[in-house]
Amino acid sequence: MKKSFLLGISFLFILSFGLMAQEQVERWNRVELSYQTAFKGNGHQDVAFKAIFVHADTTLTISGFYDGNQTFKLRFMPTRLGIWKYTTQSNVPGLAKKTGTMECIAPSHENHGMVRTNSSVHFTYADGKTYYPFGTTAYAWNHMGAELQQLTLKSLQKSRFNKIRMCVFPKNYDLVKEEPILYPFVLQETKRDAQGNEVKVWDYNQFNPAFFHQLEKQIDALQSLGIEADLILFHPYDKGRWGFDAMPREVNIRYIQYLLARISSFRNVWWSMANEWDYVKSKTIADWDELTRTVVNADPYRHLCSIHGATATYYDYWKPEFSHVSIQDESPVQSPNSAAMLRNVYHKPVVLDEVGYEGNLKSRWGRYSPETMTHLIWNGVIGGTYVTHGESFMFKDHRDTIFWAKGGRFIGESWKRVGFLRQLLEEGPGPLNLSDVSRDNITSSGGKGNYLVYFGKQIQEYWMFNLPINNGAFGKLTAGTRFRVDIIDTYGMTIQTLPEIFETGKENDYRFFDKDFKKIRLPEKPYLALRIREIR
Amino acid sequence: MKKSFLLGISFLFILSFGLMAQEQVERWNRVELSYQTAFKGNGHQDVAFKAIFVHADTTLTISGFYDGNQTFKLRFMPTRLGIWKYTTQSNVPGLAKKTGTMECIAPSHENHGMVRTNSSVHFTYADGKTYYPFGTTAYAWNHMGAELQQLTLKSLQKSRFNKIRMCVFPKNYDLVKEEPILYPFVLQETKRDAQGNEVKVWDYNQFNPAFFHQLEKQIDALQSLGIEADLILFHPYDKGRWGFDAMPREVNIRYIQYLLARISSFRNVWWSMANEWDYVKSKTIADWDELTRTVVNADPYRHLCSIHGATATYYDYWKPEFSHVSIQDESPVQSPNSAAMLRNVYHKPVVLDEVGYEGNLKSRWGRYSPETMTHLIWNGVIGGTYVTHGESFMFKDHRDTIFWAKGGRFIGESWKRVGFLRQLLEEGPGPLNLSDVSRDNITSSGGKGNYLVYFGKQIQEYWMFNLPINNGAFGKLTAGTRFRVDIIDTYGMTIQTLPEIFETGKENDYRFFDKDFKKIRLPEKPYLALRIREIR
């Protein structure tokens, strides 16, 4: 028996058989139990292997998995502080009745645990810290060559993204034709079809552990950068090349169970059931519902889970399996009001996981200016939702490392502005909500006495200081409240603090103006915002 | 025994006991069976009375009700053509085992049956004719004096509204203080509370049939005007005056069952569980869910059913009891895109049943200009939803007959524009859908080769003829298609047909322009639309 504590784990003692001292593991880190044993049949299908982890307040059943080479593993993420004991169960003697104990200790500074929703319209880490998703997209970066993968991680490190949408399966699409390095299944044979094209036939009974090792390595690499892996479990971009979009039902289920046994213990994974689910022609809504339930049932930690459709295709996100709403649509980001509507409808956090890309493609989805990409992200955020960034520049041909699919270098301009916006939010008191919903389309607040007013494309010489009397759950604004104001150039990424202090006069038709009707002179530029903070 | 066939029914034979010839009734009209009999106890609670109506393809169980004066009634709307037989059941001998037969015959020209959704995002009458809801609001018009009620009906007759939102219970609110003429329950006593205010104590065991006669008379009057009664079953505008917003649970249920026994057979009723449900402090969401199920279970015909909340409060409209979405919110009508989003979310018809009112009140909800009211209705309709009109002008004091609550005369301007819009839609091939959803925010289509382009507030000298390649389910537009164009002044209510013919050239970046890039000169006014129709 071998015990290893992976990436970022406070590994205090390594002990062999017959533990005496207690092992310690940080809360929300990962413990791996590893056993080599003889067995009969197919390690992926004929061996039952799980463990019951017991804590004073919680019992979790954790599935193990076959990792090839006669080796079975079991990975566990302790969710509560204190002593955990485990006992394994198996139909293979060499895996059964293994027991052990570990102590879950306080996490280190940069470990905040899994991201959750807590039945709110916003996200928090398990330790209570607010998580503001600022994601980007690189669907198949993990299927590119090693050098390009390394470059992608470097680019992400320079950025301030904290989420990435990426696919488990490789991608075959216009502009993305690369053959992956590894495949999730063992190749059985290569045939030719009637047209003479090569057709790979997979042994769906044999997962390829090397494929998953590579995926896991990169999820861990993302974790060390503070990035959540919004992992896309299925997608339609296969078109008969590998057939992973059209596997038999029982293979889909086995794939989910195997994948989740391997990586549910990674604290930075989210499940995205699909990208553009409605373009996957082989699956019905009933299939998606079943696969989603399979994910939820195979996940002892209940990671975030959603599903993503084509433009303006809304799945029934109210189903309880979905922790949040992940949508491809441009309409909600046309104005903060529109984005806020979706929150009001679903009562769940809304992530607009594709509103188009900054780029230079001919396709409409891939040709926003950096200003527009930034503006649409601001619109969504002011409306109290979150908007995923993406970049699709192509200067030569499909061999360009167009970030949207392959990763590589950021070529655009909006990615920096996303970092600037993230910083603004993280400096604020909390997640944003429109102060006077459906009435005021520009004023958002993260807490009492704290506002962001976003002017979008409007260019104006001055703005007369005024705020709505309403501020959602933060209560009413009152006369005599004093404020300091910063002018924020959301595209230029500057913050200019005004010397004057503003003070609310008496209520004036649902709003408060400055008592002397003071104005703020503005640079005559679009994409300005104001940060307005009460002086206490 | 007395049989009467009510309003608009082809009443061919009146027969006494022992029918020989067959009675005939138009499909979707109402038949009433009436029995006077001695009984013991409370007619509302101690007498079970129903009938089974059997048709070759359908069996319906219809509840009877006590109408006072030893009289029990049972009302039935035949939904299928052909012979219906019935047998009554009761614990009172004088009501049991009555049998009869009737023939349901084809409806007359103006009878299209109940409005339904047919699992679509639009509405149709039972006979298949498209129903475009163009409603207005007069919450308590049926509780005003007879003269005012008559005036309201006259105003409705002059208008082109085909739906009205109205409450069963009287309304006590700012600007609406009138004591109703009739009450739904028998008065038990009048007390004084600690402050010396009069408090009416109702006998919740005794419905007041006269109250319901009056309501029924007005629902029938609306039917004769082709108007659907969107009947609000509960509302919060009581504030301790009568207590109808805070009756015990079992009284609420009995009230629903009694009301529905009386009026489910009226083909022009819709159930609106509440107006501003979230302001009814005495009821929880679980209560609303139970009351909604009570309605559905008590309605053998499954009339349209929804619930309405305060601004931006979205109920879980995906629950199967709700046939459509009835929302109070201004956000969806800020642009056609926003309205369309709600359809995409719910996959049900969306009626924006309160986006504010044309009027002159100080309150924000009651002070739109006629242009804005009209514009918001157009935005919603172009987005493929429906928007309810309302008017709240007050020139003297609360004794004004402000239409929003009391009915009376229309004083505003937008009501006429609603009629104009209704006519445009009814002249078109079918309900509207955005042609290129989330990409083109102004072009809507009711069928192949048929478009409405709405410019909203934009003022422009000319418009270069162009249409999107996409047209939703109607397929792609192609080169060489020829069109005729009408310029529509949505506020001025004029239609000007252009002499030129436009013909699509080759595809140009997802759109088709005229082959000679022909422009249309426009009057420099806001609120213009174009009707563009293929010449075949």
Side-chain angles (χ1 to χ4, degrees):
Chain A
M1 177 184 159
K2 197 182 83 188
K3 272 210 177 66
S4 60
F5 286 67
L6 300 188
L7 185 90
I9 295 187
S10 311
F11 181 13
L12 300 186
F13 305 96
I14 292 192
L15 295 165
S16 55
F17 255 87
L19 304 173
M20 297 299 291
Q22 200 101 269
E23 290 181 23
Q24 293 190 321
V25 54
E26 262 188 45
R27 192 176 186 187
W28 304 305
N29 265 354
R30 192 162 78 244
V31 181
E32 184 176 286
L33 308 179
S34 179
Y35 304 90
Q36 249 186 337
T37 184
F39 65 96
K40 282 183 195 150
N42 178 336
H44 294 296
Q45 286 174 33
D46 302 329
V47 176
F49 177 39
K50 64 179 178 184
I52 314 295
F53 280 78
V54 179
H55 175 275
D57 297 325
T58 310
T59 297
L60 292 176
T61 301
I62 305 296
S63 297
F65 60 92
Y66 182 53
D67 201 31
N69 294 322
Q70 314 289 95
T71 306
F72 291 85
K73 291 183 174 167
L74 202 145
R75 292 171 178 162
F76 173 61
M77 169 172 64
T79 51
R80 296 197 157 216
L81 296 174
I83 306 299
W84 288 84
K85 296 182 183 183
Y86 64 85
T87 311
T88 66
Q89 300 178 355
S90 180
N91 56 353
V92 171
L95 299 173
K97 295 181 188 158
K98 308 284 180 190
T99 60
T101 297
M102 68 191 73
E103 186 188 2
C104 173
I105 60 168
S108 55
H109 182 67
E110 67 288 350
N111 172 3
H112 303 288
M114 289 166 54
V115 177
R116 309 194 157 280
T117 65
N118 295 332
S119 305
S120 148
V121 292
H122 294 291
F123 297 97
T124 52
Y125 288 102
D127 72 352
K129 180 182 156 81
T130 300
Y131 170 80
Y132 302 94
F134 284 100
T136 189
T137 312
Y139 289 121
W141 75 279
N142 45 314
H143 296 289
M144 302 294 128
E147 206 179 323
L148 185 49
Q149 291 192 44
Q150 211 41 48
L151 177 61
T152 304
L153 287 170
K154 269 200 175 164
S155 301
L156 290 171
Q157 186 169 23
K158 274 201 304 188
S159 81
R160 300 213 55 198
F161 292 116
N162 60 9
K163 173 167 108 67
I164 190 164
R165 281 182 68 73
M166 56 187 278
C167 302
V168 176
F169 293 128
K171 181 165 180 170
N172 179 37
Y173 196 77
D174 296 342
L175 318 177
V176 205
K177 300 286 181 201
E178 285 82 348
E179 194 62 29
I181 307 162
L182 292 161
Y183 301 101
F185 298 97
V186 170
L187 187 66
Q188 193 167 289
E189 57 170 322
T190 304
K191 288 203 229 171
R192 301 246 163 223
D193 67 10
Q195 286 76 48
N197 300 315
E198 213 176 64
V199 179
K200 291 190 168 69
V201 181
W202 307 105
D203 180 357
Y204 283 139
N205 298 312
Q206 300 284 350
F207 292 106
N208 174 17
F211 173 92
F212 294 93
H213 292 161
Q214 160 66 15
L215 176 68
E216 289 156 9
K217 182 183 121 189
Q218 298 304 43
I219 296 172
D220 273 338
L222 292 170
Q223 190 191 109
S224 69
L225 300 175
I227 296 173
E228 303 289 307
D230 190 2
L231 211 58
I232 296 163
L233 305 189
F234 296 95
H235 65 67
Y237 323 115
D238 192 303
K239 303 178 185 183
R241 183 156 159 196
W242 307 293
F244 302 140
D245 59 336
M247 305 187 296
R249 169 181 171 275
E250 60 279 9
V251 177
N252 290 330
I253 290 175
R254 238 188 291 129
Y255 151 69
I256 287 173
Q257 290 169 339
Y258 184 70
L259 180 74
L260 268 69
R262 297 196 66 110
I263 66 169
S264 284
S265 53
F266 288 58
R267 68 169 176 265
N268 65 323
V269 292
W270 301 19
W271 316 124
S272 180
M273 291 307 303
N275 213 64
E276 298 189 323
W277 65 269
D278 46 323
Y279 288 166
V280 180
K281 292 305 169 207
S282 64
K283 293 181 185 64
T284 63
I285 289 182
D287 292 333
W288 288 116
D289 282 348
E290 184 192 27
L291 294 173
T292 307
R293 284 192 304 271
T294 304
V295 164
V296 168
N297 292 336
D299 176 4
Y301 310 104
R302 199 67 172 91
H303 289 273
L304 296 179
C305 178
S306 197
I307 189 168
H308 171 277
T311 298
T313 305
Y314 288 70
Y315 206 88
D316 290 352
Y317 294 101
W318 47 81
K319 290 181 177 168
E321 290 82 7
F322 300 117
S323 53
H324 65 289
V325 177
S326 163
I327 283 172
Q328 174 172 176
D329 197 6
E330 291 142 353
S331 285
V333 287
Q334 299 310 305
S335 83
N337 260 345
S338 291
M341 269 170 55
L342 289 182
R343 282 184 19 166
N344 297 337
V345 164
Y346 291 114
H347 320 300
K348 292 185 181 181
V350 173
V351 186
L352 300 156
D353 264 326
E354 205 172 322
V355 300
Y357 297 83
E358 179 187 352
N360 63 354
L361 303 187
K362 280 191 86 166
S363 297
R364 296 190 284 192
W365 58 262
R367 63 186 192 190
Y368 285 145
S369 69
E371 289 85 354
T372 293
M373 181 87 253
T374 308
H375 169 60
L376 297 179
I377 293 171
W378 267 82
N379 270 347
V381 166
I382 290 290
T385 67
Y386 301 97
V387 186
T388 298
H389 163 271
E391 205 181 82
S392 57
F393 282 101
M394 194 185 61
F395 290 103
K396 303 185 299 280
D397 57 28
H398 70 273
R399 287 164 299 173
D400 248 20
T401 66
I402 177 167
F403 203 96
W404 147 79
K406 306 181 190 181
R409 255 188 206 92
F410 289 115
I411 297 170
E413 290 293 331
S414 59
W415 67 276
K416 298 172 217 162
R417 279 77 193 168
V418 172
F420 177 73
L421 174 55
R422 180 178 165 194
Q423 186 185 327
L424 281 174
L425 255 65
E426 290 186 347
E427 285 172 12
L432 295 180
N433 306 283
L434 284 175
S435 296
D436 192 14
V437 71
S438 295
R439 262 45 187 263
D440 177 334
N441 193 26
I442 65 171
T443 310
S444 204
S445 175
K448 192 166 171 58
N450 212 297
Y451 301 88
L452 272 179
V453 177
Y454 177 56
F455 297 122
K457 300 191 178 196
Q458 198 184 327
I459 299 172
Q460 54 201 332
E461 206 185 334
Y462 66 86
W463 183 73
M464 189 166 266
F465 179 94
N466 75 103
L467 289 169
I469 181 167
N470 292 329
N471 194 13
F474 304 123
K476 304 257 185 207
L477 181 57
T478 50
T481 310
R482 297 165 71 241
F483 290 97
R484 199 173 284 289
V485 176
D486 301 317
I487 298 179
I488 294 169
D489 182 339
T490 68
Y491 194 77
M493 297 186 285
T494 60
I495 301 177
Q496 176 203 347
T497 301
L498 297 181
E500 313 96 285
I501 283 168
F502 298 83
E503 185 178 332
T504 51
K506 64 175 193 178
E507 193 202 331
N508 187 328
D509 193 28
Y510 297 96
R511 300 192 75 86
F512 284 103
F513 288 74
D514 174 75
K515 67 181 173 29
D516 303 318
F517 294 96
K518 249 186 256 174
K519 299 187 299 188
I520 294 170
R521 292 203 67 83
L522 294 170
E524 292 185 44
K525 282 182 182 176
Y527 311 121
L528 297 180
L530 302 175
R531 181 165 60 183
I532 303 180
R533 292 186 287 190
E534 186 177 345
I535 304 166
R536 289 182 217 199
Chain B
M1 174 182 161
K2 194 182 89 188
K3 270 208 178 67
S4 60
F5 287 65
L6 300 189
L7 182 89
I9 294 190
S10 309
F11 182 14
L12 301 186
F13 307 97
I14 293 190
L15 294 164
S16 56
F17 255 87
L19 304 175
M20 298 299 290
Q22 200 101 269
E23 288 181 25
Q24 293 190 320
V25 55
E26 262 189 46
R27 192 176 185 186
W28 306 304
N29 265 353
R30 191 162 78 246
V31 182
E32 183 174 287
L33 309 179
S34 180
Y35 305 90
Q36 251 188 337
T37 183
F39 64 97
K40 283 182 192 149
N42 179 337
H44 294 294
Q45 285 171 34
D46 303 329
V47 177
F49 177 38
K50 64 180 176 183
I52 313 295
F53 281 77
V54 178
H55 175 273
D57 297 323
T58 311
T59 298
L60 292 175
T61 302
I62 305 295
S63 297
F65 60 92
Y66 183 53
D67 200 33
N69 294 321
Q70 315 286 96
T71 306
F72 291 85
K73 289 181 176 169
L74 202 145
R75 291 172 179 163
F76 173 62
M77 169 172 62
T79 52
R80 298 196 157 218
L81 296 175
I83 304 301
W84 288 86
K85 295 181 180 181
Y86 65 85
T87 311
T88 66
Q89 300 177 355
S90 178
N91 57 353
V92 171
L95 299 173
K97 295 181 189 159
K98 308 284 182 189
T99 60
T101 298
M102 65 191 74
E103 185 188 3
C104 172
I105 60 169
S108 56
H109 181 68
E110 68 288 350
N111 171 3
H112 303 287
M114 289 166 55
V115 177
R116 308 193 157 283
T117 66
N118 294 331
S119 305
S120 148
V121 292
H122 294 291
F123 297 97
T124 51
Y125 288 102
D127 72 353
K129 181 182 154 84
T130 301
Y131 171 79
Y132 302 92
F134 285 99
T136 189
T137 311
Y139 290 121
W141 76 279
N142 45 314
H143 296 288
M144 301 293 128
E147 205 177 322
L148 185 48
Q149 290 191 47
Q150 208 45 46
L151 178 61
T152 303
L153 288 170
K154 267 199 176 164
S155 301
L156 290 171
Q157 185 169 25
K158 273 201 304 188
S159 81
R160 300 213 54 201
F161 292 115
N162 60 8
K163 174 168 108 68
I164 191 164
R165 281 183 68 74
M166 56 185 280
C167 302
V168 176
F169 292 127
K171 181 166 180 169
N172 179 37
Y173 195 78
D174 295 343
L175 318 177
V176 204
K177 300 286 182 201
E178 285 80 349
E179 195 61 29
I181 307 159
L182 294 161
Y183 302 100
F185 300 97
V186 171
L187 188 67
Q188 196 167 286
E189 57 171 322
T190 304
K191 288 204 227 171
R192 300 248 163 221
D193 68 10
Q195 286 76 46
N197 301 315
E198 212 175 64
V199 179
K200 293 189 165 69
V201 180
W202 307 104
D203 180 356
Y204 283 137
N205 298 311
Q206 300 284 348
F207 292 105
N208 174 16
F211 173 91
F212 294 93
H213 292 159
Q214 161 66 16
L215 176 67
E216 290 156 5
K217 179 182 124 190
Q218 297 305 44
I219 297 173
D220 273 337
L222 293 171
Q223 188 189 112
S224 71
L225 299 176
I227 296 173
E228 303 289 308
D230 191 2
L231 211 58
I232 297 163
L233 305 189
F234 295 96
H235 67 66
Y237 324 115
D238 191 303
K239 303 176 185 186
R241 182 154 160 198
W242 308 293
F244 302 139
D245 59 337
M247 305 187 298
R249 169 180 170 275
E250 61 279 9
V251 177
N252 291 330
I253 290 175
R254 237 187 293 129
Y255 151 68
I256 287 174
Q257 290 169 339
Y258 185 70
L259 180 72
L260 267 68
R262 297 194 67 108
I263 66 168
S264 284
S265 54
F266 288 58
R267 69 168 176 265
N268 65 322
V269 292
W270 302 16
W271 316 123
S272 180
M273 292 307 304
N275 214 64
E276 298 188 323
W277 64 269
D278 46 323
Y279 288 167
V280 180
K281 292 305 168 208
S282 63
K283 292 182 185 64
T284 64
I285 289 183
D287 292 334
W288 288 117
D289 281 348
E290 184 191 27
L291 294 173
T292 308
R293 282 192 303 272
T294 304
V295 164
V296 169
N297 292 335
D299 175 6
Y301 311 103
R302 200 66 172 90
H303 288 274
L304 297 178
C305 178
S306 197
I307 188 167
H308 171 277
T311 298
T313 305
Y314 287 71
Y315 206 88
D316 290 352
Y317 293 102
W318 47 81
K319 290 181 178 167
E321 289 81 8
F322 300 119
S323 54
H324 65 288
V325 177
S326 164
I327 283 171
Q328 175 173 176
D329 197 6
E330 290 143 353
S331 284
V333 287
Q334 298 310 303
S335 83
N337 262 344
S338 292
M341 270 169 56
L342 289 182
R343 282 185 19 166
N344 297 337
V345 164
Y346 291 114
H347 320 300
K348 291 183 181 182
V350 174
V351 186
L352 299 156
D353 263 326
E354 206 171 322
V355 299
Y357 297 83
E358 179 186 351
N360 64 353
L361 302 187
K362 280 191 87 168
S363 297
R364 296 191 286 190
W365 57 262
R367 63 187 192 187
Y368 285 144
S369 69
E371 290 85 354
T372 293
M373 182 86 252
T374 309
H375 170 59
L376 296 178
I377 293 171
W378 266 82
N379 270 346
V381 167
I382 290 289
T385 66
Y386 302 96
V387 186
T388 298
H389 163 271
E391 204 181 83
S392 55
F393 283 99
M394 194 184 61
F395 292 102
K396 303 184 300 281
D397 57 27
H398 70 273
R399 288 165 299 173
D400 247 20
T401 68
I402 176 168
F403 203 95
W404 147 81
K406 307 180 189 179
R409 253 188 208 93
F410 290 114
I411 297 170
E413 289 294 330
S414 58
W415 67 277
K416 296 174 218 161
R417 278 78 191 167
V418 172
F420 178 71
L421 174 56
R422 180 178 166 194
Q423 185 183 329
L424 279 176
L425 255 65
E426 291 187 345
E427 284 173 12
L432 295 181
N433 307 282
L434 283 177
S435 296
D436 191 14
V437 69
S438 295
R439 262 44 187 263
D440 177 333
N441 193 27
I442 65 171
T443 310
S444 204
S445 175
K448 192 168 171 54
N450 212 297
Y451 301 89
L452 273 179
V453 177
Y454 178 56
F455 297 122
K457 299 192 179 195
Q458 197 184 326
I459 300 172
Q460 54 202 332
E461 206 185 333
Y462 67 85
W463 183 73
M464 189 166 268
F465 179 93
N466 76 101
L467 289 169
I469 180 166
N470 292 329
N471 193 11
F474 303 126
K476 303 261 184 204
L477 182 56
T478 51
T481 310
R482 299 165 72 241
F483 290 97
R484 199 173 283 289
V485 176
D486 301 317
I487 298 178
I488 294 169
D489 182 340
T490 69
Y491 195 78
M493 299 186 284
T494 60
I495 301 177
Q496 176 203 347
T497 301
L498 298 182
E500 311 97 285
I501 283 167
F502 298 83
E503 185 178 331
T504 50
K506 62 173 196 182
E507 194 202 330
N508 188 328
D509 195 28
Y510 297 96
R511 300 192 76 86
F512 284 102
F513 288 74
D514 174 75
K515 68 181 170 32
D516 304 317
F517 293 96
K518 248 185 255 175
K519 300 187 297 188
I520 294 170
R521 292 202 66 82
L522 295 170
E524 292 185 45
K525 283 183 184 176
Y527 312 120
L528 297 181
L530 301 176
R531 180 165 61 182
I532 303 181
R533 292 186 285 190
E534 187 178 345
I535 304 166
R536 291 183 215 199

